[in-house]
Amino acid sequence: MLYKRSSELFAKAQQVLPGGVNSPVRAFNAVGGNPIFIKEAAGAYLTDEDGRKYIDYIASWGPLILGHAYPPVIEAVTERAKKGTSFGIPTEVEVQIAELAVAMVPNIDKIRFVNSGTEACMSAIRLARGYTGREKIIKFIGCYHGHSDAFLIEAGSGGATFGTPNSPGVTQGTAKDTLLANYNDLASVKALFEANPQQIAGVIIEPVAGNMGCVLPQEGFLEGLRQLCTENGSLLIFDEVMTGFRLAKGGAQEVFGIRADIVTFGKVIGGGLPVGAFAANKEIMSYLAPEGPVYQAGTLSGNPLAMSAGLAMLTALNEHPEVYESLAKKTAYLHQGFEEVLQRAGIPHQINSFGSMFTLFFTESPVTNFVSSSKSDTQRFKRYFHGMLREGIYLPPSSFESYFLNDAITYDDLDKTIKALNRVVLEL
């Protein structure tokens, strides 16, 4: 039995954890079977509890851009832990990482650290409402901004995977203030502004979507959102929990040349530890307590252990920006290799990739939004996922998730992955 130890652990986990997991997509409900349990990881590789080794294409869902157990991060965390893990009192390292983040990202003056991407997006929406004095927000069907109530309205990722995008427990009162638009459809956004004059506090978007698979903004889409927000006195919020510090030092704002009013971060900014953040210019951030009336707090926010990990990661990226070109080339190499294999096999597919983000969709139609993403053949994806897993390739266990490459992956690893696909296509 390939996954004997993992299966035993999952049986135990189901007795004490809801569904046997602490985050739904880990349960393999979208692909069938039992999840594997990881014992350790280094560089580009995961090792499970049965001793099997995998090339990792999720990188802890994005943060481990330089690979697992990256030495400078491990050293920073180890040394910090010796001095205490949390005080609930200010520390110098909070100031150091804040200064670095503000220097790396365009169009922000101040940043507030929190403990997750969910918390960052939730706080950004509260700040936008407090700053504008308005209540409604616009989000895009298929974009996922965490599991706070305001966002679990036609959510992508985990919600879409289980076919229940409207989560029980979210009140109708909350839902009425979340307006839904279609990704890459400016007309749908304009219609919402026209139907709700002077009521929309902000528009929140993943500038490159990662939770309906990797979906790119079409030409002019982000620029159009910026113009609509400016014309209507609303704030444009970039959810860069995935793209921040991954697409470039300055994230999507730098790549696309678009100025967002509020930006949220997570993943990479924590170097593998639980960290989120939101940032804006001085005027907007002055509305945040203790300077202003919009309340937000957290005992573990900015804790020295997480800040030390994040500082080590951002320092490495700031000093070695060539990593972004390296990752883009590796992603393009994987894209081309997959394309050639699937074309030879005659399997309908679309591949979306941008920077170090990548998704294979089993569909003939271009994937530009949640509707087209949903047309992907999920049964074929299940066979593909388990076939690659047997080959020692760990992919997201859902067709609604982006892959994330890490720079510890070598071209030999990429070749092994492409050869694995060449064998797996026989089962598809």
Side-chain angles (χ1 to χ4, degrees), residues 55-222:
I55 302 172
D56 179 25
Y57 284 95
I58 67 167
S60 191
W61 301 102
L64 304 179
I65 190 170
L66 300 177
H68 292 274
Y70 180 62
V73 171
I74 298 303
E75 181 179 352
V77 171
T78 301
E79 291 304 309
R80 179 64 261 179
K82 294 176 183 177
K83 302 174 183 177
T85 57
S86 181
F87 312 126
I89 303 171
T91 59
E92 181 181 11
V93 69
E94 294 174 77
V95 180
Q96 292 172 329
I97 187 173
E99 289 176 335
L100 181 55
V102 168
M104 291 173 71
V105 178
N107 200 39
I108 65 171
D109 298 320
K110 292 185 177 182
I111 188 167
R112 168 66 61 85
F113 289 99
V114 291
N115 297 291
S116 69
T118 290
E119 192 178 345
C121 291
M122 176 184 71
S123 302
I125 288 297
R126 183 182 301 160
L127 179 58
R129 285 170 165 158
Y131 179 77
T132 62
R134 302 174 179 180
E135 295 185 355
K136 296 186 183 297
I137 62 167
I138 295 175
K139 73 173 291 288
F140 294 86
I141 299 170
C143 283
Y144 179 74
H145 307 291
H147 60 87
S148 68
D149 286 1
F151 300 128
L152 289 182
I153 317 295
E154 296 287 346
S157 189
T161 295
F162 300 114
T164 55
N166 296 304
S167 175
V170 177
T171 68
Q172 291 184 351
T174 297
K176 72 177 177 61
D177 287 329
T178 301
L179 308 176
L180 302 173
N182 295 314
Y183 198 86
N184 279 324
D185 183 356
L186 278 176
S188 69
V189 182
K190 186 176 181 181
L192 290 174
F193 273 114
E194 290 175 347
N196 299 272
Q198 304 299 312
Q199 296 180 62
I200 297 170
V203 176
I204 186 167
I205 188 169
E206 294 177 273
V208 175
N211 287 282
M212 46 183 155
C214 177
V215 178
L216 283 58
Q218 294 178 330
E219 185 175 356
F221 177 58
L222 296 178

Side-chain angles (χ1 to χ4, degrees), residues 3 25-36 52 54-58 61 338 360 362 377-399 401 403 420-421 424-425 427-428:
Y3 315 113
V25 176
R26 298 178 195 173
F28 276 29
N29 284 18
V31 293
N34 295 337
I36 62 172
R52 286 175 54 82
Y54 307 85
I55 302 172
D56 179 25
Y57 284 95
I58 67 167
W61 301 102
F338 269 39
L360 164 61
F362 292 108
D377 186 337
T378 55
Q379 293 304 311
R380 178 166 272 168
F381 179 85
K382 291 178 183 179
R383 298 192 294 273
Y384 159 70
F385 172 81
H386 282 289
M388 296 296 276
L389 191 67
R390 288 193 300 272
E391 292 282 345
I393 311 298
Y394 195 85
L395 303 173
S398 166
S399 57
E401 297 284 0
Y403 309 5
L421 178 63
V424 169
V425 290
E427 307 171 23
L428 303 182

Side-chain angles (χ1 to χ4, degrees), residues 241-286:
V241 168
M242 287 186 176
T243 59
F245 306 104
R246 173 164 278 279
L247 296 185
K249 286 169 58 174
Q253 286 194 107
E254 176 184 329
V255 171
F256 295 108
I258 304 293
R259 288 177 171 261
D261 296 302
I262 302 177
V263 189
T264 66
F265 301 103
K267 310 296 185 186
V268 175
I269 202 172
L273 270 68
V275 181
F278 58 104
N281 62 31
K282 291 179 182 178
E283 181 182 350
I284 293 173
M285 293 300 278
S286 71

